[in-house]
Amino acid sequence: MAEIEARTAERVIDACVRSQSVRKCVFTSSLLACVWRRDSPHNERHPTVVDENCWADEGFCRDRKLWFALGKTMAEKAAWRAARGSDVKLVTLCPGLVTGPGFCRRNATASIAYLKGSQEMLRDGLLATIDVSKLADAHVRVYEAMGRTACGRYICFDHIVRRAEDVAELERQLRIPNRTASIAQESDQLPTWFELSKRKVSRLMSSSRRCLHGTYSIP
């Protein structure tokens, strides 16, 4: 399914390139395409920053059977490759787990797939969510700014889940057994190994400065 998702993304961008009317594309990826990696910073003095320059390790995702993360990573890379050298300007948004009134229940399969590995994400400070209405607004703002400042990738989230009550609420919305509340209680006492950064999207939402770095290298 990950390979199918990647081929689909490639074909969508190819269709945009062939079209005479499409010159801008906002592609929805996932924060999971940025966070999963083999190397661990647990012995470092300061948290490792996770931002738009980070890519998930595909081999690690395969080894851990993190298929949702693998599919999103492969699809986003395929989209960037397909857009390279064309007249279509591509921007990607990498949102956390999408939440909102009833959203998780209506999209339970994808939400549960996103949460595979949630215990590790929770311990490391990488389990983040975003309300669906705020994500929709981010898409509109990014699209509107593509002729001026918007470029490259954007990590997008509004809340980092650390507390047991937040985990319990997520599990209640998804109607899944309470599996990680005890981990959340432990996480409150643990150092944060990673720091999720959404500075780029925050600057975009509040600024109109010109972006000079619109090209991404794909590992």
Side-chain angles (χ1 to χ4, degrees):
M1 291 303 296
E3 293 178 356
I4 291 173
E5 187 167 0
R7 289 198 300 271
T8 301
E10 181 180 12
R11 289 171 182 173
V12 168
I13 301 302
D14 284 342
C16 292
V17 171
R18 290 195 300 269
S19 169
Q20 296 298 314
S21 59
V22 178
R23 286 298 171 261
K24 295 187 291 185
C25 178
V26 180
F27 184 91
T28 306
S29 181
S30 172
L31 179 59
L32 297 184
C34 306
V35 302
W36 290 110
R37 61 184 72 190
R38 292 187 188 276
D39 55 314
S40 170
H42 292 183
N43 295 322
E44 299 293 332
R45 182 171 299 179
H46 302 291
T48 296
V49 175
V50 175
D51 61 14
E52 292 81 6
N53 295 300
C54 299
W55 286 94
D57 184 316
E58 292 182 31
F60 181 83
C61 291
R62 287 190 177 92
D63 293 344
R64 295 286 300 275
K65 296 180 172 57
L66 301 166
W67 307 126
F68 187 88
L70 178 64
K72 293 300 181 183
T73 304
M74 292 176 61
E76 187 185 353
K77 288 181 178 180
W80 280 113
R81 286 193 294 268
R84 183 182 293 157
S86 74
D87 293 332
V88 172
K89 182 173 182 179
L90 177 67
V91 169
T92 60
L93 280 175
C94 301
L97 176 65
V98 183
T99 59
F103 185 88
C104 289
R105 256 195 319 276
R106 291 194 298 270
N107 301 273
T109 300
S111 298
I112 292 171
Y114 185 105
L115 288 172
K116 186 168 185 181
S118 59
Q119 293 184 1
E120 187 172 340
M121 284 192 286
L122 188 62
R123 287 193 183 102
D124 289 339
L126 293 172
L127 183 54
T129 62
I130 183 165
D131 184 88
V132 63
S133 60
K134 293 182 180 179
L135 179 58
D137 182 55
H139 277 78
V140 173
R141 296 290 296 276
V142 165
Y143 181 81
E144 290 176 341
M146 286 180 72
R148 305 185 307 277
T149 60
C151 57
R153 308 173 80 206
Y154 291 86
I155 282 180
C156 195
F157 63 91
D158 57 19
H159 180 61
I160 297 175
V161 178
R162 294 286 288 175
R163 299 181 303 169
E165 52 263 40
D166 294 335
V167 175
E169 174 60 20
L170 272 179
E171 293 177 336
R172 185 195 66 77
Q173 291 181 27
L174 289 168
R175 298 178 180 174
I176 59 178
N178 190 329
R179 298 178 298 181
T180 52
S182 60
I183 302 297
Q185 291 173 346
E186 296 173 10
S187 298
D188 288 339
Q189 312 301 320
L190 294 174
T192 301
W193 301 116
F194 294 90
E195 177 188 342
L196 288 174
S197 172
K198 61 174 182 177
R199 295 184 185 93
K200 187 180 176 186
V201 76
S202 296
R203 288 197 302 267
L204 176 76
M205 303 290 274
S206 61
S207 169
S208 59
R209 287 178 297 177
R210 183 172 180 78
C211 179
L212 301 178
H213 304 285
T215 303
Y216 267 83
S217 58
I218 303 172

